[in-house]
Amino acid sequence: MKDLAIILGIRPDVIRASKILKLLKSQSDIEFDFIWSGQHYSENMKDTFFKQLNVPKPDFEFEINKGSDADIVSSTIENLFNHFNDHKYKAAVFLGDTNTVMGSIAAAQHNIPIVHIEGCMRSYDWRMPEEKYRTVIDHLSDRIYAYLENYKSQGLNEGISENIIKVTGNPIVDIINDNLKYFDSGQDYLSEDILNLSNEKFVLATCHRRENILDKKSFENIINLFNEIEDVNVIFPMGYKTQEILRKSNVNLSNNVKIIDPIGYLEFMYLLKNSEYVATDSGTVVEEACIIGIPSIQMRFSTERPEVYDVNASIKFDPTQDYNSPIEQVTKLIGTNWNNPFGDGNSSEIIVEDLKQLSKDDNFKKHKPSDYQFDTSNSFKG
Ligand code: UDP
């Protein structure tokens, strides 16, 4: 039996977990398999990140059914269930709130303890599949790594046991600290066109969330926002689903909005670092912008990362409401300072140390009455 199965499946997973994977490989006796669910599969959504961040290649890569969300989730569960028939682990580790984390159902079916990195974040926006996924996996978990104290409190409010939640800080801080010196080399990978565009002042943009691109009004409001940015170019690495929605819609982006395919991490961080501000609906990008001191417009009705507002690093743009420009507000943030609310940069170490300890003692299972917050005495009677 190996200690851990670590299951990841999308671009930001590789980025955020890169140090955890490297530490597990280099500095611990933990035996683990790194399993790639297959949710992201193209060179520029997957392999580029392994290369740029020196992440060890997965031990197993699944072929996923690439149709609907239901296809992705069901094939992930099936692939993992079959894998767990032949491979035994003390625990299965998942990260975040994606279709891939719903593979935790397969671990639950095999009664393998589940570890959730990025636990107890909540937007309280029940329109978002991500909110449902993260709630489900937290309640399936035997060990939860919550980045911040207030995320832990959110878990406690739902009756999750204090004993299983450990506050770690956010590993994205570790990745930024370790790679800051390489961000400027991102320009070496950019096409000449993008380099020329980024020689002058520019705004960076990303947009991919289902509730923004699949809702006509929200999508149009976001396009209006980009079209309002007239004086500078907007560089917009656009995910493939958003490209498809844009092609099928009858809205147009103005000429200064430059759409490009998704780019690598170093290129993206180079652009972020050199932008005036970023307009984004990405969870990770608002964190990154906040940490490196770039203002953001967060294009979301709700967020599970309210800290960026608390420290005055971000302006909310609610795409579900009648259009209300956030541009004047965000430009006032350019050049201002705020504190990084996401931790000290030692989160990956804290997580790896804890995984080492739990593996050594084979102590992942929580199934003890004392681990529940509420009165369980009735269930364990007799
Ligand atoms: N990113 C990237 N290339 C891009 C766009 C984003 O490397 O073209 C990185 C970005 O730095 C961040 C992560 O990908 O670390 C964000 O991914 P995404 O917005 O898809 O996911 P979310 O964080 O919303 O789950």
Side-chain angles (χ1 to χ4, degrees), residues 9-40:
I10 63 165
R11 166 176 71 186
D13 292 353
V14 191
I15 298 170
R16 201 182 290 274
S18 56
K19 189 164 185 181
I20 295 174
L21 287 163
K22 284 187 274 189
L23 287 175
L24 282 173
K25 200 79 170 179
S26 64
Q27 290 181 18
S28 83
D29 300 330
I30 291 188
E31 282 190 55
F32 71 99
D33 283 334
F34 171 22
I35 300 171
W36 188 252
S37 77
Q39 189 176 337
H40 281 173

PDB file of all heavy atoms in Angstrom, residues 9-40:
ATOM      1  N   GLY A   9      -6.230  17.979 -11.850  1.00  0.00           N
ATOM      2  CA  GLY A   9      -6.757  17.860 -13.214  1.00  0.00           C
ATOM      3  C   GLY A   9      -6.820  19.130 -14.044  1.00  0.00           C
ATOM      4  O   GLY A   9      -7.163  19.059 -15.215  1.00  0.00           O
ATOM      5  N   ILE A  10      -6.537  20.310 -13.442  1.00  0.00           N
ATOM      6  CA  ILE A  10      -6.635  21.522 -14.266  1.00  0.00           C
ATOM      7  C   ILE A  10      -5.421  22.428 -14.054  1.00  0.00           C
ATOM      8  O   ILE A  10      -4.676  22.274 -13.090  1.00  0.00           O
ATOM      9  CB  ILE A  10      -7.938  22.326 -14.004  1.00  0.00           C
ATOM     10  CG1 ILE A  10      -8.009  22.841 -12.566  1.00  0.00           C
ATOM     11  CG2 ILE A  10      -9.182  21.525 -14.343  1.00  0.00           C
ATOM     12  CD1 ILE A  10      -9.057  23.916 -12.361  1.00  0.00           C
ATOM     13  N   ARG A  11      -5.299  23.388 -14.974  1.00  0.00           N
ATOM     14  CA  ARG A  11      -4.138  24.298 -14.972  1.00  0.00           C
ATOM     15  C   ARG A  11      -3.797  24.873 -13.595  1.00  0.00           C
ATOM     16  O   ARG A  11      -2.655  24.711 -13.137  1.00  0.00           O
ATOM     17  CB  ARG A  11      -4.445  25.417 -15.984  1.00  0.00           C
ATOM     18  CG  ARG A  11      -3.542  26.610 -15.900  1.00  0.00           C
ATOM     19  CD  ARG A  11      -3.867  27.613 -16.997  1.00  0.00           C
ATOM     20  NE  ARG A  11      -5.122  28.310 -16.802  1.00  0.00           N
ATOM     21  CZ  ARG A  11      -5.666  29.142 -17.686  1.00  0.00           C
ATOM     22  NH1 ARG A  11      -5.083  29.370 -18.837  1.00  0.00           N
ATOM     23  NH2 ARG A  11      -6.817  29.737 -17.429  1.00  0.00           N
ATOM     24  N   PRO A  12      -4.743  25.545 -12.908  1.00  0.00           N
ATOM     25  CA  PRO A  12      -4.327  26.134 -11.630  1.00  0.00           C
ATOM     26  C   PRO A  12      -3.955  25.103 -10.563  1.00  0.00           C
ATOM     27  O   PRO A  12      -3.233  25.439  -9.617  1.00  0.00           O
ATOM     28  CB  PRO A  12      -5.526  26.987 -11.194  1.00  0.00           C
ATOM     29  CG  PRO A  12      -6.648  26.550 -12.029  1.00  0.00           C
ATOM     30  CD  PRO A  12      -6.098  25.959 -13.281  1.00  0.00           C
ATOM     31  N   ASP A  13      -4.418  23.851 -10.732  1.00  0.00           N
ATOM     32  CA  ASP A  13      -3.999  22.798  -9.777  1.00  0.00           C
ATOM     33  C   ASP A  13      -2.490  22.582  -9.859  1.00  0.00           C
ATOM     34  O   ASP A  13      -1.817  22.443  -8.838  1.00  0.00           O
ATOM     35  CB  ASP A  13      -4.650  21.443 -10.102  1.00  0.00           C
ATOM     36  CG  ASP A  13      -6.149  21.403  -9.889  1.00  0.00           C
ATOM     37  OD1 ASP A  13      -6.692  22.378  -9.365  1.00  0.00           O
ATOM     38  OD2 ASP A  13      -6.763  20.375 -10.264  1.00  0.00           O
ATOM     39  N   VAL A  14      -1.991  22.496 -11.110  1.00  0.00           N
ATOM     40  CA  VAL A  14      -0.544  22.231 -11.274  1.00  0.00           C
ATOM     41  C   VAL A  14       0.233  23.385 -10.645  1.00  0.00           C
ATOM     42  O   VAL A  14       1.233  23.169  -9.951  1.00  0.00           O
ATOM     43  CB  VAL A  14      -0.110  22.188 -12.762  1.00  0.00           C
ATOM     44  CG1 VAL A  14       1.296  21.649 -12.877  1.00  0.00           C
ATOM     45  CG2 VAL A  14      -1.065  21.422 -13.611  1.00  0.00           C
ATOM     46  N   ILE A  15      -0.232  24.612 -10.913  1.00  0.00           N
ATOM     47  CA  ILE A  15       0.490  25.783 -10.418  1.00  0.00           C
ATOM     48  C   ILE A  15       0.495  25.758  -8.878  1.00  0.00           C
ATOM     49  O   ILE A  15       1.543  25.784  -8.239  1.00  0.00           O
ATOM     50  CB  ILE A  15      -0.169  27.076 -10.963  1.00  0.00           C
ATOM     51  CG1 ILE A  15      -0.088  27.106 -12.496  1.00  0.00           C
ATOM     52  CG2 ILE A  15       0.465  28.322 -10.338  1.00  0.00           C
ATOM     53  CD1 ILE A  15      -0.911  28.192 -13.166  1.00  0.00           C
ATOM     54  N   ARG A  16      -0.686  25.664  -8.301  1.00  0.00           N
ATOM     55  CA  ARG A  16      -0.810  25.796  -6.839  1.00  0.00           C
ATOM     56  C   ARG A  16      -0.156  24.637  -6.089  1.00  0.00           C
ATOM     57  O   ARG A  16       0.389  24.819  -5.001  1.00  0.00           O
ATOM     58  CB  ARG A  16      -2.297  25.871  -6.470  1.00  0.00           C
ATOM     59  CG  ARG A  16      -2.570  26.491  -5.135  1.00  0.00           C
ATOM     60  CD  ARG A  16      -4.056  26.462  -4.844  1.00  0.00           C
ATOM     61  NE  ARG A  16      -4.834  27.359  -5.667  1.00  0.00           N
ATOM     62  CZ  ARG A  16      -5.043  28.635  -5.393  1.00  0.00           C
ATOM     63  NH1 ARG A  16      -4.530  29.164  -4.313  1.00  0.00           N
ATOM     64  NH2 ARG A  16      -5.769  29.391  -6.198  1.00  0.00           N
ATOM     65  N   ALA A  17      -0.215  23.437  -6.679  1.00  0.00           N
ATOM     66  CA  ALA A  17       0.325  22.272  -5.960  1.00  0.00           C
ATOM     67  C   ALA A  17       1.763  21.980  -6.348  1.00  0.00           C
ATOM     68  O   ALA A  17       2.337  20.987  -5.890  1.00  0.00           O
ATOM     69  CB  ALA A  17      -0.550  21.039  -6.236  1.00  0.00           C
ATOM     70  N   SER A  18       2.371  22.838  -7.196  1.00  0.00           N
ATOM     71  CA  SER A  18       3.694  22.483  -7.734  1.00  0.00           C
ATOM     72  C   SER A  18       4.722  22.278  -6.627  1.00  0.00           C
ATOM     73  O   SER A  18       5.501  21.330  -6.655  1.00  0.00           O
ATOM     74  CB  SER A  18       4.173  23.531  -8.748  1.00  0.00           C
ATOM     75  OG  SER A  18       4.177  24.813  -8.176  1.00  0.00           O
ATOM     76  N   LYS A  19       4.701  23.142  -5.622  1.00  0.00           N
ATOM     77  CA  LYS A  19       5.718  23.009  -4.574  1.00  0.00           C
ATOM     78  C   LYS A  19       5.422  21.807  -3.668  1.00  0.00           C
ATOM     79  O   LYS A  19       6.341  21.110  -3.226  1.00  0.00           O
ATOM     80  CB  LYS A  19       5.796  24.303  -3.751  1.00  0.00           C
ATOM     81  CG  LYS A  19       6.958  24.302  -2.804  1.00  0.00           C
ATOM     82  CD  LYS A  19       7.276  25.672  -2.271  1.00  0.00           C
ATOM     83  CE  LYS A  19       8.529  25.630  -1.424  1.00  0.00           C
ATOM     84  NZ  LYS A  19       8.847  26.954  -0.872  1.00  0.00           N
ATOM     85  N   ILE A  20       4.162  21.582  -3.419  1.00  0.00           N
ATOM     86  CA  ILE A  20       3.785  20.424  -2.592  1.00  0.00           C
ATOM     87  C   ILE A  20       4.306  19.143  -3.261  1.00  0.00           C
ATOM     88  O   ILE A  20       4.930  18.292  -2.617  1.00  0.00           O
ATOM     89  CB  ILE A  20       2.245  20.352  -2.421  1.00  0.00           C
ATOM     90  CG1 ILE A  20       1.749  21.573  -1.635  1.00  0.00           C
ATOM     91  CG2 ILE A  20       1.809  19.050  -1.753  1.00  0.00           C
ATOM     92  CD1 ILE A  20       0.249  21.694  -1.520  1.00  0.00           C
ATOM     93  N   LEU A  21       4.089  19.039  -4.581  1.00  0.00           N
ATOM     94  CA  LEU A  21       4.540  17.834  -5.296  1.00  0.00           C
ATOM     95  C   LEU A  21       6.058  17.713  -5.249  1.00  0.00           C
ATOM     96  O   LEU A  21       6.601  16.627  -5.029  1.00  0.00           O
ATOM     97  CB  LEU A  21       4.058  17.877  -6.752  1.00  0.00           C
ATOM     98  CG  LEU A  21       2.563  17.617  -6.946  1.00  0.00           C
ATOM     99  CD1 LEU A  21       2.104  18.081  -8.323  1.00  0.00           C
ATOM    100  CD2 LEU A  21       2.238  16.136  -6.756  1.00  0.00           C
ATOM    101  N   LYS A  22       6.740  18.854  -5.438  1.00  0.00           N
ATOM    102  CA  LYS A  22       8.207  18.788  -5.443  1.00  0.00           C
ATOM    103  C   LYS A  22       8.747  18.435  -4.062  1.00  0.00           C
ATOM    104  O   LYS A  22       9.676  17.641  -3.934  1.00  0.00           O
ATOM    105  CB  LYS A  22       8.778  20.120  -5.945  1.00  0.00           C
ATOM    106  CG  LYS A  22       8.642  20.250  -7.459  1.00  0.00           C
ATOM    107  CD  LYS A  22       9.346  21.456  -8.008  1.00  0.00           C
ATOM    108  CE  LYS A  22       8.490  22.677  -7.953  1.00  0.00           C
ATOM    109  NZ  LYS A  22       9.002  23.838  -8.638  1.00  0.00           N
ATOM    110  N   LEU A  23       8.143  18.997  -3.017  1.00  0.00           N
ATOM    111  CA  LEU A  23       8.603  18.674  -1.650  1.00  0.00           C
ATOM    112  C   LEU A  23       8.338  17.211  -1.324  1.00  0.00           C
ATOM    113  O   LEU A  23       9.168  16.540  -0.712  1.00  0.00           O
ATOM    114  CB  LEU A  23       7.885  19.562  -0.626  1.00  0.00           C
ATOM    115  CG  LEU A  23       8.307  21.034  -0.566  1.00  0.00           C
ATOM    116  CD1 LEU A  23       7.412  21.804   0.404  1.00  0.00           C
ATOM    117  CD2 LEU A  23       9.770  21.159  -0.138  1.00  0.00           C
ATOM    118  N   LEU A  24       7.174  16.737  -1.731  1.00  0.00           N
ATOM    119  CA  LEU A  24       6.856  15.324  -1.447  1.00  0.00           C
ATOM    120  C   LEU A  24       7.871  14.413  -2.118  1.00  0.00           C
ATOM    121  O   LEU A  24       8.285  13.407  -1.554  1.00  0.00           O
ATOM    122  CB  LEU A  24       5.452  14.979  -1.951  1.00  0.00           C
ATOM    123  CG  LEU A  24       4.286  15.438  -1.083  1.00  0.00           C
ATOM    124  CD1 LEU A  24       2.970  15.189  -1.791  1.00  0.00           C
ATOM    125  CD2 LEU A  24       4.283  14.727   0.275  1.00  0.00           C
ATOM    126  N   LYS A  25       8.265  14.785  -3.326  1.00  0.00           N
ATOM    127  CA  LYS A  25       9.205  13.961  -4.088  1.00  0.00           C
ATOM    128  C   LYS A  25      10.604  14.018  -3.469  1.00  0.00           C
ATOM    129  O   LYS A  25      11.268  13.010  -3.306  1.00  0.00           O
ATOM    130  CB  LYS A  25       9.237  14.520  -5.513  1.00  0.00           C
ATOM    131  CG  LYS A  25       9.732  13.667  -6.608  1.00  0.00           C
ATOM    132  CD  LYS A  25       8.788  12.675  -7.114  1.00  0.00           C
ATOM    133  CE  LYS A  25       8.865  11.845  -8.255  1.00  0.00           C
ATOM    134  NZ  LYS A  25       7.714  10.978  -8.369  1.00  0.00           N
ATOM    135  N   SER A  26      11.021  15.244  -3.112  1.00  0.00           N
ATOM    136  CA  SER A  26      12.439  15.415  -2.765  1.00  0.00           C
ATOM    137  C   SER A  26      12.724  15.279  -1.274  1.00  0.00           C
ATOM    138  O   SER A  26      13.814  14.915  -0.885  1.00  0.00           O
ATOM    139  CB  SER A  26      12.926  16.777  -3.245  1.00  0.00           C
ATOM    140  OG  SER A  26      12.227  17.788  -2.548  1.00  0.00           O
ATOM    141  N   GLN A  27      11.750  15.605  -0.446  1.00  0.00           N
ATOM    142  CA  GLN A  27      12.089  15.721   0.977  1.00  0.00           C
ATOM    143  C   GLN A  27      11.283  14.834   1.901  1.00  0.00           C
ATOM    144  O   GLN A  27      11.143  15.133   3.070  1.00  0.00           O
ATOM    145  CB  GLN A  27      11.884  17.165   1.436  1.00  0.00           C
ATOM    146  CG  GLN A  27      12.885  18.111   0.862  1.00  0.00           C
ATOM    147  CD  GLN A  27      12.625  19.512   1.385  1.00  0.00           C
ATOM    148  OE1 GLN A  27      11.955  19.712   2.372  1.00  0.00           O
ATOM    149  NE2 GLN A  27      13.176  20.496   0.698  1.00  0.00           N
ATOM    150  N   SER A  28      10.681  13.806   1.365  1.00  0.00           N
ATOM    151  CA  SER A  28       9.917  12.986   2.300  1.00  0.00           C
ATOM    152  C   SER A  28       9.989  11.526   1.889  1.00  0.00           C
ATOM    153  O   SER A  28      10.317  11.196   0.751  1.00  0.00           O
ATOM    154  CB  SER A  28       8.457  13.439   2.343  1.00  0.00           C
ATOM    155  OG  SER A  28       7.744  12.872   1.283  1.00  0.00           O
ATOM    156  N   ASP A  29       9.668  10.680   2.858  1.00  0.00           N
ATOM    157  CA  ASP A  29       9.650   9.243   2.576  1.00  0.00           C
ATOM    158  C   ASP A  29       8.283   8.811   2.093  1.00  0.00           C
ATOM    159  O   ASP A  29       8.028   7.625   1.910  1.00  0.00           O
ATOM    160  CB  ASP A  29       9.973   8.454   3.858  1.00  0.00           C
ATOM    161  CG  ASP A  29      11.341   8.821   4.379  1.00  0.00           C
ATOM    162  OD1 ASP A  29      12.190   9.160   3.542  1.00  0.00           O
ATOM    163  OD2 ASP A  29      11.538   8.776   5.617  1.00  0.00           O
ATOM    164  N   ILE A  30       7.417   9.792   1.915  1.00  0.00           N
ATOM    165  CA  ILE A  30       6.061   9.436   1.500  1.00  0.00           C
ATOM    166  C   ILE A  30       6.091   8.793   0.121  1.00  0.00           C
ATOM    167  O   ILE A  30       6.727   9.288  -0.798  1.00  0.00           O
ATOM    168  CB  ILE A  30       5.167  10.700   1.461  1.00  0.00           C
ATOM    169  CG1 ILE A  30       4.922  11.199   2.879  1.00  0.00           C
ATOM    170  CG2 ILE A  30       3.867  10.431   0.741  1.00  0.00           C
ATOM    171  CD1 ILE A  30       3.910  12.300   2.970  1.00  0.00           C
ATOM    172  N   GLU A  31       5.393   7.677   0.026  1.00  0.00           N
ATOM    173  CA  GLU A  31       5.249   7.051  -1.295  1.00  0.00           C
ATOM    174  C   GLU A  31       3.915   7.490  -1.855  1.00  0.00           C
ATOM    175  O   GLU A  31       2.873   7.304  -1.208  1.00  0.00           O
ATOM    176  CB  GLU A  31       5.237   5.539  -1.139  1.00  0.00           C
ATOM    177  CG  GLU A  31       6.605   4.952  -0.922  1.00  0.00           C
ATOM    178  CD  GLU A  31       6.510   3.447  -1.025  1.00  0.00           C
ATOM    179  OE1 GLU A  31       6.016   2.936  -2.048  1.00  0.00           O
ATOM    180  OE2 GLU A  31       6.885   2.800  -0.044  1.00  0.00           O
ATOM    181  N   PHE A  32       3.956   8.109  -3.022  1.00  0.00           N
ATOM    182  CA  PHE A  32       2.679   8.570  -3.578  1.00  0.00           C
ATOM    183  C   PHE A  32       2.620   8.376  -5.082  1.00  0.00           C
ATOM    184  O   PHE A  32       3.645   8.288  -5.750  1.00  0.00           O
ATOM    185  CB  PHE A  32       2.432  10.034  -3.218  1.00  0.00           C
ATOM    186  CG  PHE A  32       3.326  11.026  -3.932  1.00  0.00           C
ATOM    187  CD1 PHE A  32       2.870  11.704  -5.058  1.00  0.00           C
ATOM    188  CD2 PHE A  32       4.611  11.287  -3.481  1.00  0.00           C
ATOM    189  CE1 PHE A  32       3.683  12.622  -5.718  1.00  0.00           C
ATOM    190  CE2 PHE A  32       5.434  12.193  -4.144  1.00  0.00           C
ATOM    191  CZ  PHE A  32       4.958  12.867  -5.263  1.00  0.00           C
ATOM    192  N   ASP A  33       1.384   8.325  -5.583  1.00  0.00           N
ATOM    193  CA  ASP A  33       1.151   8.364  -7.025  1.00  0.00           C
ATOM    194  C   ASP A  33       0.483   9.692  -7.333  1.00  0.00           C
ATOM    195  O   ASP A  33      -0.473  10.093  -6.647  1.00  0.00           O
ATOM    196  CB  ASP A  33       0.219   7.226  -7.465  1.00  0.00           C
ATOM    197  CG  ASP A  33       0.949   5.893  -7.526  1.00  0.00           C
ATOM    198  OD1 ASP A  33       2.179   5.907  -7.724  1.00  0.00           O
ATOM    199  OD2 ASP A  33       0.274   4.850  -7.382  1.00  0.00           O
ATOM    200  N   PHE A  34       0.982  10.352  -8.352  1.00  0.00           N
ATOM    201  CA  PHE A  34       0.366  11.585  -8.826  1.00  0.00           C
ATOM    202  C   PHE A  34      -0.523  11.198 -10.017  1.00  0.00           C
ATOM    203  O   PHE A  34      -0.043  10.655 -11.011  1.00  0.00           O
ATOM    204  CB  PHE A  34       1.480  12.562  -9.206  1.00  0.00           C
ATOM    205  CG  PHE A  34       1.037  13.804  -9.920  1.00  0.00           C
ATOM    206  CD1 PHE A  34      -0.269  14.281  -9.837  1.00  0.00           C
ATOM    207  CD2 PHE A  34       1.953  14.532 -10.679  1.00  0.00           C
ATOM    208  CE1 PHE A  34      -0.662  15.448 -10.493  1.00  0.00           C
ATOM    209  CE2 PHE A  34       1.573  15.689 -11.343  1.00  0.00           C
ATOM    210  CZ  PHE A  34       0.257  16.135 -11.260  1.00  0.00           C
ATOM    211  N   ILE A  35      -1.808  11.469  -9.865  1.00  0.00           N
ATOM    212  CA  ILE A  35      -2.780  11.039 -10.882  1.00  0.00           C
ATOM    213  C   ILE A  35      -3.387  12.277 -11.558  1.00  0.00           C
ATOM    214  O   ILE A  35      -3.864  13.185 -10.861  1.00  0.00           O
ATOM    215  CB  ILE A  35      -3.903  10.197 -10.233  1.00  0.00           C
ATOM    216  CG1 ILE A  35      -3.303   8.952  -9.577  1.00  0.00           C
ATOM    217  CG2 ILE A  35      -4.972   9.819 -11.261  1.00  0.00           C
ATOM    218  CD1 ILE A  35      -4.285   8.164  -8.730  1.00  0.00           C
ATOM    219  N   TRP A  36      -3.358  12.318 -12.876  1.00  0.00           N
ATOM    220  CA  TRP A  36      -3.935  13.439 -13.622  1.00  0.00           C
ATOM    221  C   TRP A  36      -5.300  13.009 -14.154  1.00  0.00           C
ATOM    222  O   TRP A  36      -5.403  12.047 -14.905  1.00  0.00           O
ATOM    223  CB  TRP A  36      -3.004  13.834 -14.776  1.00  0.00           C
ATOM    224  CG  TRP A  36      -3.433  15.087 -15.457  1.00  0.00           C
ATOM    225  CD1 TRP A  36      -3.984  15.197 -16.702  1.00  0.00           C
ATOM    226  CD2 TRP A  36      -3.352  16.421 -14.937  1.00  0.00           C
ATOM    227  NE1 TRP A  36      -4.254  16.515 -16.980  1.00  0.00           N
ATOM    228  CE2 TRP A  36      -3.879  17.295 -15.907  1.00  0.00           C
ATOM    229  CE3 TRP A  36      -2.894  16.968 -13.724  1.00  0.00           C
ATOM    230  CZ2 TRP A  36      -3.957  18.679 -15.720  1.00  0.00           C
ATOM    231  CZ3 TRP A  36      -2.977  18.344 -13.542  1.00  0.00           C
ATOM    232  CH2 TRP A  36      -3.495  19.181 -14.521  1.00  0.00           C
ATOM    233  N   SER A  37      -6.349  13.731 -13.767  1.00  0.00           N
ATOM    234  CA  SER A  37      -7.712  13.288 -14.137  1.00  0.00           C
ATOM    235  C   SER A  37      -7.977  13.417 -15.623  1.00  0.00           C
ATOM    236  O   SER A  37      -8.867  12.754 -16.158  1.00  0.00           O
ATOM    237  CB  SER A  37      -8.759  14.099 -13.372  1.00  0.00           C
ATOM    238  OG  SER A  37      -8.892  15.390 -13.956  1.00  0.00           O
ATOM    239  N   GLY A  38      -7.256  14.321 -16.295  1.00  0.00           N
ATOM    240  CA  GLY A  38      -7.498  14.525 -17.737  1.00  0.00           C
ATOM    241  C   GLY A  38      -8.467  15.653 -18.040  1.00  0.00           C
ATOM    242  O   GLY A  38      -8.805  15.891 -19.199  1.00  0.00           O
ATOM    243  N   GLN A  39      -8.925  16.384 -16.997  1.00  0.00           N
ATOM    244  CA  GLN A  39      -9.910  17.462 -17.248  1.00  0.00           C
ATOM    245  C   GLN A  39      -9.329  18.518 -18.198  1.00  0.00           C
ATOM    246  O   GLN A  39      -9.978  18.927 -19.147  1.00  0.00           O
ATOM    247  CB  GLN A  39     -10.340  18.088 -15.915  1.00  0.00           C
ATOM    248  CG  GLN A  39     -11.500  19.052 -16.063  1.00  0.00           C
ATOM    249  CD  GLN A  39     -12.008  19.602 -14.731  1.00  0.00           C
ATOM    250  OE1 GLN A  39     -11.811  18.989 -13.673  1.00  0.00           O
ATOM    251  NE2 GLN A  39     -12.655  20.746 -14.775  1.00  0.00           N
ATOM    252  N   HIS A  40      -8.122  18.991 -17.922  1.00  0.00           N
ATOM    253  CA  HIS A  40      -7.391  19.801 -18.908  1.00  0.00           C
ATOM    254  C   HIS A  40      -6.381  18.877 -19.580  1.00  0.00           C
ATOM    255  O   HIS A  40      -5.714  18.088 -18.918  1.00  0.00           O
ATOM    256  CB  HIS A  40      -6.665  20.981 -18.248  1.00  0.00           C
ATOM    257  CG  HIS A  40      -7.578  22.134 -17.931  1.00  0.00           C
ATOM    258  ND1 HIS A  40      -7.183  23.236 -17.207  1.00  0.00           N
ATOM    259  CD2 HIS A  40      -8.884  22.365 -18.257  1.00  0.00           C
ATOM    260  CE1 HIS A  40      -8.199  24.087 -17.104  1.00  0.00           C
ATOM    261  NE2 HIS A  40      -9.236  23.576 -17.720  1.00  0.00           N
TER     262      HIS A  40
END
